[in-house]
Amino acid sequence: MKPGNRFEKRPREAKVPNDMVLIPTTAGMRCRLADEKRKRLRIEEPFLIPSRGLFILSTYVEERHFGISLIDRTQGLSFKKARKESFGLIELKQVTKRYGKGTKTTEALSGLNLSIKKGEIFGVIGHSGAGKSTLIRCMNLLERPTSGEVWVDGVDLTKLGKQQLQTKRREIGMIFQHFNLLSSATVYDNIAFPLRLAHVDKAKIANKVNELLQLVGLEDHRDKYPAQLSGGQKQRVGIARALASDPQVLLCDEATSALDPQTTDSILKLLLDINQKFNLTIVLITHEMHVIQSICDRVAVIHQGGIVEEGAVAEVFLKPQHPVTREFILGEAGESAQLALQAPHDGSSKLCKLTFLGEKTYDSILSRTARETGVDFAILQGTISKIKDIPYGQLIVRLEGESGPIEETIRKVRDEGLDVEVYD
C-alpha cells in the first residue's frame, strides 16, 4: 500500500496503549509506531491519537519498513491539507552519487538526506567541488543517484520509467549559470520551446509566452536573439522558459554566478517576487552567502558530499556551528571583522561580538547598559543589514573596566535578548 491511496475520508479515532511509542525514523515528522518490543504494526487506515493531538496521516508497508506520517492537530489544518503538508515537497533519502568504476570512483554525494517544504526558497551553499551541482541535478534526475530515493510531491522519481519521468519533469523548472539558451532562436521562441515540445496549442503558447515576457520584464525584447541581450536579460529568458510549463519547483544552478552585483540583485528580486506571487518552491545553489541572505528561508551547507549544517537562514548565519559555515560567514564579513577580532585586550577588558535581530537592531541596548554598569566600550567593527526581510546588526566591541561590571554588562545585554560571543 502506497502513501495517499486510501485516505480521502477522515481518520477514525484510536486509542494507543501506553506501551506504544512513536519512534522517529527519518527527517521531518516521519515516525513508526511500535510496541515496547519494537515489533512493527500494520495499520490499514489512518486514525487519530486524540490524547497526543496528532493525526496519523498516511501509512505504507514495504517488505521491511513500516512508516507513518504525523502532524500536530493544533495547527488547525484540515485532514486533507494536513496530509499534504506533513511531507516535504522535495525529499532526498540516503542519496549517494558515485562517478567512475572499480577502484577509480569518486563519491560526489554520500548518504545525503534533505527535506524541502512547499513554497519556501531553500538555499544550498558550499565551496567548489562540495557536491552542489550534483545535488541539484539529482533533484530532477538529470543525474541519477547511485543509490537512494528522490521524492517530488509524493513520487519517487528513481522508480519512474522514461516516459513517466519526462512527464514529471514538466513540474520541475530549471535555470543555469550559463543560461543554456538556443542561440538561433528569438526570446519568444526560447520561451515557447518547452510548450512546443509538449504539443500545446499555438494560441495557448502565444498567450503564455506573452504573459511570461511581461512577468520578467522583456516585452520589448521578444524578437531579439540571445547575442543581442545582456547577461541579466538572458537569465530572465531562462527564468521565463523554466516557468512555461507552470512547474511546482524551480531549480537554480548557480543562476547569478555569471552576473555583476547589481544584476544579481535584480534577478534575486525577480525570483522572490515569483515565489511570493505563485507560491513556487525555489531551490538554489550558490557559493555566495549574499545570495542566501537576500532571499532564502532556509539553508543547507554542503561539504564533501554531505550536509554539515541546516536550518533557518537567520539561525545559521548568525550562529554558525560548523567550521565550513563559520568560514563562509567570516568571508562575508570581510577583512574588517578579522582585524577587529585581532584587537589587543587584557585582564581589564573583554572582546565580544554582539548580535541584534529584528527590532532590537535599532535599539540602544549596549550604550544604555554600559551607563548602568559603568563600563566603557570601544566599537571595533559593526554592520547592519537584512536577512531576507529581517533586520540584524553585529558589533565587535571591547568592554573595558573591572571584571565584575563587565560580566554584569554581558549578562544584562543577554537578558535584553542579544546574543553575545566572548573571545579569549
Side-chain angles (χ1 to χ4, degrees), residues 118-168:
K118 181 176 177 59
E120 73 176 342
I121 302 180
F122 191 94
V124 179
I125 190 168
H127 294 298
S128 296
K132 303 188 300 296
S133 291
T134 303
L135 170 59
I136 202 166
R137 291 170 70 85
C138 280
M139 290 182 185
N140 59 3
L141 257 62
L142 286 180
E143 293 280 0
R144 183 171 286 274
T146 306
S147 62
E149 300 173 0
V150 179
W151 291 77
V152 177
D153 196 25
V155 176
D156 183 0
L157 301 189
T158 64
K159 300 293 194 297
L160 299 181
K162 186 177 180 179
Q163 188 61 46
Q164 292 173 309
L165 179 59
Q166 201 170 39
T167 302
K168 189 66 179 176

Side-chain angles (χ1 to χ4, degrees), residues 249-282:
V249 179
L250 179 62
L251 305 179
C252 306
D253 186 358
E254 295 274 13
T256 60
S257 295
L259 306 176
D260 63 75
Q262 186 176 357
T263 306
T264 291
D265 288 341
S266 70
I267 294 297
L268 293 178
K269 184 179 183 302
L270 175 60
L271 290 174
L272 183 58
D273 289 344
I274 290 169
N275 166 258
Q276 294 173 343
K277 186 174 182 179
F278 301 108
N279 195 35
L280 182 70
T281 304
I282 298 178

Side-chain angles (χ1 to χ4, degrees), residues 12 26 56 90 102 121 123 130 138 159 161 163 191 193 218 232-233 307 324 339 364 376 379 389 402 406 410:
R12 65 182 174 86
T26 60
I56 299 295
I90 302 173
I121 302 180
C138 280
K159 300 293 194 297
Q163 188 61 46
I191 298 171
F193 183 69
L218 292 177
Q233 289 168 339
I307 302 299
V324 173
L339 290 173
S364 55
D376 292 324
I379 298 176
D389 296 322
E402 298 294 329
I406 288 177
I410 294 171

Side-chain angles (χ1 to χ4, degrees), residues 19 30 36 66-67 116 123 188 226 263 270 282 301 344 347 405 407 422:
D19 61 353
R30 285 190 178 75
E36 60 185 355
F66 173 77
I116 298 171
Y188 181 98
T263 306
L270 175 60
I282 298 178
V301 182
E407 293 298 332
V422 180

Side-chain angles (χ1 to χ4, degrees), residues 63-252:
E63 283 187 21
R64 294 186 299 169
H65 180 74
F66 173 77
I68 300 174
S69 177
L70 305 177
I71 196 165
D72 191 336
R73 258 198 310 171
T74 60
Q75 295 178 4
L77 298 172
S78 67
F79 171 69
K80 194 171 182 179
K81 185 177 179 182
R83 186 187 66 203
K84 288 186 71 176
E85 296 279 336
S86 66
F87 289 89
L89 182 66
I90 302 173
E91 298 208 359
L92 276 64
K93 303 178 185 179
Q94 290 296 309
V95 169
T96 295
K97 176 63 180 178
R98 298 187 188 94
Y99 296 97
K101 293 182 179 180
T103 57
K104 297 181 179 180
T105 59
T106 301
E107 194 165 78
L109 299 176
S110 179
L112 188 144
N113 293 291
L114 198 62
S115 180
I116 298 171
K117 302 172 186 174
K118 181 176 177 59
E120 73 176 342
I121 302 180
F122 191 94
V124 179
I125 190 168
H127 294 298
S128 296
K132 303 188 300 296
S133 291
T134 303
L135 170 59
I136 202 166
R137 291 170 70 85
C138 280
M139 290 182 185
N140 59 3
L141 257 62
L142 286 180
E143 293 280 0
R144 183 171 286 274
T146 306
S147 62
E149 300 173 0
V150 179
W151 291 77
V152 177
D153 196 25
V155 176
D156 183 0
L157 301 189
T158 64
K159 300 293 194 297
L160 299 181
K162 186 177 180 179
Q163 188 61 46
Q164 292 173 309
L165 179 59
Q166 201 170 39
T167 302
K168 189 66 179 176
R169 277 185 179 147
R170 290 175 190 157
E171 301 176 16
I172 309 169
M174 190 168 188
I175 58 176
F176 305 87
Q177 178 179 357
H178 298 296
F179 321 125
N180 289 19
L181 302 180
L182 300 171
S183 60
S184 60
T186 64
V187 167
Y188 181 98
D189 290 331
N190 266 284
I191 298 171
F193 183 69
L195 297 175
R196 288 171 179 157
L197 285 179
H199 306 292
V200 176
D201 177 78
K202 191 174 181 179
K204 291 182 179 179
I205 290 177
N207 289 335
K208 187 65 177 179
V209 174
N210 288 329
E211 176 189 317
L212 290 167
L213 284 168
Q214 185 176 4
L215 176 69
V216 300
L218 292 177
E219 305 100 305
D220 298 334
H221 302 277
R222 55 174 284 150
D223 296 322
K224 290 184 178 179
Y225 290 89
Q228 298 172 288
L229 303 176
S230 68
Q233 289 168 339
K234 290 176 184 177
Q235 196 57 281
R236 287 172 183 267
V237 177
I239 292 170
R241 182 182 60 186
L243 297 178
S245 300
D246 296 317
Q248 294 191 69
V249 179
L250 179 62
L251 305 179
C252 306

